[in-house]
Amino acid sequence: MAASRDHAVLDPRAALTLDDYVVSAAWAPDGSALAVVGGEGRVFRIAIEGLDRRGARLSAAAAGSHAIGGLAAVWSPAGDAFATSGQDNTVVIREALSGAARATFRPGMAWSEHLAYSPDGTQLAVASGKGLSLWSRDGTLLQRFAAQPGSVAALAWDRTGRELGAALNGGMLIASRAGVAKDADKGECFVTRQLKWPGQCLSVAWSPNGRVLASGVGDGSVHFWYLGTSRDSQMRGYPGRVNLTSWSGNSRYLATNAANDVVAWDFSGRGPEGSKPIVLRGHTEAIDCLAFQPGGSYLVSAGRDWRLSLWLPGKAAMALDAHLTDAEASCLCWSPDGNYVAVGERKGKVTVFALSRSG
Amino acid sequence: MPNTDRVPVTVLTGFLGSGKTTLLNRILTENHGKRIAVIENEFGEVGVDHELVIGAEEEIFESNNGCICCTVRGDLLRILGQLLKRRDRFDYIIIETTGMADPGPVAQTFFLDEDFKKQFLLDAIVTLVDARHIEQHLDQMDEPGQQVAFADVLLLNKTDLVTPAELERIERRVRAINGTARIFRTHNADVPIASVLDVGAFDLTRALAVDGDFLEPQYPFEWAGAYALPAGEVTLRTGAADAHADHHDHGHDHDHDHDHDHSHDHTAHDHDAHGHEHAGGLSVVLLPLADGSAASLDAAIEQAVRAFAEPAVAVECGGAVAVAPAGVHAALQIDHDGSAFAFRLPRAGHWAVFCEHAPVEFGLRLQGFEPSSQRAFASHHHDEEIASVGLADSRELDPARVNDWFSHLLQSRGADIFRMKGVLSLRGEPRRYVFHGVHMMFDGQLEQPWGARTRQNRLVFIGRNLDRAELEAGFESCVAR
């Protein structure tokens, strides 16, 4: 293969600076806007224009606030709404275009730190401390699961939307669709099962092909469950807790954070057991953000060294491109089409990069 | 690191009904100009009316160093981590724990992570005690004792619901568990805010207030009184038979200024024996005194210590003992229902009575006589599983040996040591070494020079089943040679 085919850069297209720490950001499914919550609780809707060319423009509009601080922002894949949560213990579902509140609710006593829309946008999963609940697009409670022994550390739907995974201290809780309940206006009901593992699971990563569920673990390992089998295994030897896990679009590579390095496991052939991982070196401080391109093979990482790196695991040992941010990156997300990356920083800067492939 | 950059955090513990929410509401409504965020682990009986309240579900994690006692609070780690995302920080954070919370994991959370240490300063653990129910709680459960033991500030609250005698007894008991906490007696958690916020109990750069009577040498007696007595037989009685007659006759002023750093003035008025087992009898020493003054009584302390080390004369209930001109050490076989012992004095004059335990515990008195002066010494109750041990010694220490001792101590006894703190005088070091610890988490550093101050090591351990002899031997091994 020609090296030039792999050459790619992150091309900064537009940026703006918000008056707040960027805690969480989410793309609208059509790539036309970003929803952002800040550390002091402000909610912004950032409109994006002309990304496909030079001279792209970001414009932020205030869209409400959460008292004390913001926690999470997610955009419904259906495109009609985005949801934010804050330290005031509320979750707010907001209209996609105006940001106006459609519904406000308090799912529990603890903060709702993790939000996840089902792929069809009909269910919003909310993890509030030890509580897990599902809400409709209008903010009606659909189902509340029994309280867990510990807090939910991460939440993610599988690609089909049939299953929801919640990372716990002690394994993974899986909620699966179990048909339409008799109480039909509540929609489908979910049943839960546990994938037990005596460790503090910190992330949920479903492989896009549906075969593997991976989780970073607090004891410095990554755990895998081979779905549809009773097999599970783990990779140890990390220098510290692993809380970032991301799959490449073809389900071949699982990227994880190992202090200052990115470690990727190759699931081709016989899988990663017994193999040496791909270690991507370049960051000089801890990595806080890590995400594979949706449906693709490019990987972006950002760390406390104020560096943003673009990788192509398995093809290039070195970063393809790197940029210095103005402060530590605090969040990073790819546009759903995989063509753009938005990076939020602790000091409020939001930059949108285009993935630009040459050759 | 400059302290001003760190957000102080006060931990508020206490059983349900002890008055945490009352205190919290007072702190929040008082005009102190601070912007305070409150982290609550349960909904109080009375809601806290404050916009900056963060609800949290208590969640305990073992930290990854494999030690079972190194537990931290996952919920607090996450919340404090989020609060770091603000540019305009809060001025103060108060964590209100659940009634049943073990303060250990809360405190250890602040030792765990270097980032946290840079951003937050654990200010103090404030424990509220419901005076009416604390004794029952201490008898029945572990948590109240832990909450008392961890405290830097103790509020004996709802004192209006107990009698003065009960309050004395409660304070003695609480003091036996925690010898260093500042104790305030309150009705409605009404203490000056400055007594509970910005206390600086974990701030190594502030002078460590390692005070309290338990830091005195541990005497073999808890009480002494001076009496003017005639020659011949005097009767020493115990038991509650006619105890109520002289209940209020001590003529002894209880000047509680609600700040009990020093409890020397506590002559408890309770009449309930603590149920000590005295297989060898209750040790009492009589010594001749020059006069009936307090100074004269103090001057006899050393002689009394020697006398307590001598074999005692066993005296049966109802028996008599001849007192030598130089005094006597008697082991009284007391009957808890009441007993009498005759002491035959060789001459009239002033005599000191040193008693192994506080007389109030046995209703002990010299029939027909009142002390002209008296003094209480540090309590050495052994009936509390959780207690404080203080060491004071002016010999210089060898830093390497201290390091060995602490390493060994924390590894072997970390689970039992709730709190430790102190100031050390290290050989060849002009600065004071100050330290504190919570279970196995330890922080220590060199601070200001001793300067004109007397170099003296002062250490305090509060924990469960602590062995004073073991701690003293450990300390001894650190002395520079």
Side-chain angles (χ1 to χ4, degrees), chain A residues 19 40 68 113 130 151, chain B residues 57-59 78 86-87:
Chain A
D19 185 25
E40 278 152 49
I68 311 181
E113 288 179 82
K130 300 173 185 177
S151 290
Chain B
E57 291 168 322
E58 179 181 75
E59 187 173 10
R78 284 199 309 279
R86 305 179 60 84
R87 292 156 313 163

Side-chain angles (χ1 to χ4, degrees), chain A residues 18-21 23 39-42 67-71 87-89 109-111 113-114 128-131 149-152 169 200 218-220 241 304 346-347, chain B residues 35 37-44 51-62 64 74-75 77-90 115:
Chain A
L18 301 170
D19 185 25
D20 208 342
Y21 185 118
V23 170
E40 278 152 49
R42 266 162 288 193
I68 311 181
L71 295 169
Q87 297 172 28
D88 54 3
N89 283 3
M109 162 146 192
W111 288 350
E113 288 179 82
H114 308 286
S128 319
K130 300 173 185 177
S151 290
V152 176
N169 189 3
Q200 192 188 345
D219 63 5
R241 68 206 296 266
R304 290 185 204 170
R346 294 190 185 186
K347 287 184 178 168
Chain B
R35 219 156 61 96
V38 177
I39 300 172
E40 272 196 316
N41 278 134
E42 65 191 351
F43 295 115
E51 61 165 353
L52 303 180
V53 173
I54 295 163
E57 291 168 322
E58 179 181 75
E59 187 173 10
I60 294 173
F61 282 139
E62 280 169 36
N64 289 335
D75 54 325
L77 283 173
R78 284 199 309 279
I79 287 169
L80 296 170
Q82 290 288 351
L83 293 182
L84 288 180
K85 297 181 178 176
R86 305 179 60 84
R87 292 156 313 163
D88 70 327
R89 300 273 164 80
F90 293 110
D115 274 359

Side-chain angles (χ1 to χ4, degrees), chain B residues 40 59 65 126 134 146 154 170 194 217-218 240 243 273 276 294 300 338 360 378 403 414 426 444 467:
Chain B
E40 272 196 316
E59 187 173 10
N65 61 5
V126 176
I134 184 65
Q146 290 172 350
L154 265 165
I170 291 161
Q218 197 84 14
H276 301 292
V360 290
N403 197 35
L426 303 179
D467 181 347

